[in-house]
Amino acid sequence: MKSLLLLSILAALAVVALCYESHESMESYEIGPFLNRRNAHTFISQQQRWRAKAQERIRERTKPFQELNREACDDFKLCERYAMVYGYNAAYNRYFRQRGK
C-alpha cells in the first residue's frame, strides 16, 4: 500500500514536471511577424538591390568547373543515379568525358 501511494505521488510529480508550459516553448510574442507588400521593399535599398543583381550575374558567368559538371550531370538521369553512389566527379567522367575521345 505504501509503495502504491509513493508510486502515485511520483507519477503525479512527473506529470506536473513534464506538462509545465514555459514561456520559452510558446510562439513568438511579436505582433506582426510578416510584412505587407507595400512595406516589404523597405529593408533593402535600391542600391543594394542593384549590387546584389550585379553580383549574381557575375557569379553565374564565373561558375567553377565542378558546379558546371554537376549541373550537366543533374540533367542526365543515368549520370545522376551513378553520382548518388560514386560521386559527381566519377559520374561526369563516366558519361561525359568519354564522349570527347
Side-chain angles (χ1 to χ4, degrees):
M1 189 68 173
K2 286 184 180 182
S3 62
L4 183 63
L5 181 64
L6 183 62
L7 184 62
S8 63
I9 290 173
L10 287 174
L13 287 174
V15 166
V16 169
L18 294 175
C19 293
Y20 173 72
E21 187 172 346
S22 66
H23 292 292
E24 289 86 20
S25 66
M26 291 184 177
E27 291 286 328
S28 176
Y29 288 113
E30 296 176 6
I31 295 172
F34 301 105
L35 295 173
N36 63 16
R37 292 180 185 173
R38 292 181 185 172
N39 295 333
H41 71 281
T42 60
F43 283 105
I44 299 176
S45 69
Q46 184 70 25
Q47 184 179 7
Q48 288 174 329
R49 273 185 254 152
W50 180 84
R51 190 176 297 151
K53 287 179 185 178
Q55 288 174 350
E56 182 64 28
R57 287 188 193 125
I58 291 170
R59 270 184 250 133
E60 283 293 322
R61 283 190 218 147
T62 59
K63 286 185 180 178
F65 71 93
Q66 293 96 343
E67 188 174 348
L68 293 172
N69 293 351
R70 184 175 181 156
E71 287 177 359
C73 197
D74 281 342
D75 293 336
F76 188 51
K77 283 291 181 192
L78 290 175
C79 183
E80 187 176 9
R81 288 181 187 160
Y82 191 86
M84 293 299 166
V85 177
Y86 299 105
Y88 279 98
N89 287 335
Y92 183 83
N93 289 337
R94 178 174 179 172
Y95 288 102
F96 295 106
R97 292 279 162 106
Q98 292 176 356
R99 291 182 182 181
K101 292 181 180 180

